[in-house]
Amino acid sequence: QVQLVESGGGLVQAGGSLRLSCTASGLTFSNYAMAWFRQAPGKERDFVAGINSYGEATYYADSVKGRFTTSRDNGNNTVYLQMNSLKPEDTDVYYCAGAYTVGLVPRHEYDYWGQGTKVTVSS
């Protein structure tokens, strides 16, 4: 059974930092491109950041470029999202997702999703 488990969310003041982790089990992690999405109530789930299966290429939404960094540790089946200079508009539930491919794919093509972790940024 495949599981993606996010952790690291919480409450932080604007300008602060958080690091999210997503640990996978039940799959060969190095075969999966991984991505982070976020979603507010009543809104679509939006792409935030992604990393290819080798960890060589990363991709970011314009809204987080220069502030967020994603990385992965294939030996520990974990992908990370380092979030710096957080803004109140970054408040959302953050999800990690995995796709059985090398590079990134559209949202609907991700095979597995985590349960989400809540990030709240206070002003």
Side-chain angles (χ1 to χ4, degrees):
Q1 181 181 357
V2 174
Q3 281 192 307
L4 301 181
V5 180
E6 300 100 336
S7 62
L11 173 64
V12 64
Q13 287 189 333
S17 298
L18 282 175
R19 188 175 83 153
L20 306 183
S21 300
C22 170
T23 300
S25 60
L27 52 73
T28 302
F29 186 68
S30 59
N31 288 342
Y32 286 76
M34 300 298 295
W36 292 92
F37 291 80
R38 63 187 182 185
Q39 186 173 25
K43 295 190 176 181
E44 288 194 351
R45 194 168 293 187
D46 294 327
F47 172 79
V48 175
I51 186 166
N52 74 353
S53 61
Y54 301 118
E56 297 170 336
T58 55
Y59 310 86
Y60 299 95
D62 288 344
S63 59
V64 306
K65 276 181 184 175
R67 301 188 298 123
F68 291 11
T69 303
T70 189
S71 61
R72 66 189 295 160
D73 180 348
N74 284 351
N76 286 313
N77 289 4
T78 301
V79 61
Y80 303 98
L81 184 67
Q82 177 67 43
M83 305 186 295
N84 298 329
S85 302
L86 282 161
K87 305 175 181 180
E89 51 263 44
D90 294 318
T91 296
D92 268 327
V93 177
Y94 284 71
Y95 299 87
C96 70
Y100 185 64
T101 186
V102 173
L104 297 193
V105 297
R107 181 182 63 195
H108 67 275
E109 294 187 18
Y110 281 86
D111 301 295
Y112 302 106
W113 292 84
Q115 83 289 348
T117 186
K118 176 72 173 173
V119 171
T120 303
V121 184
S122 64
S123 57

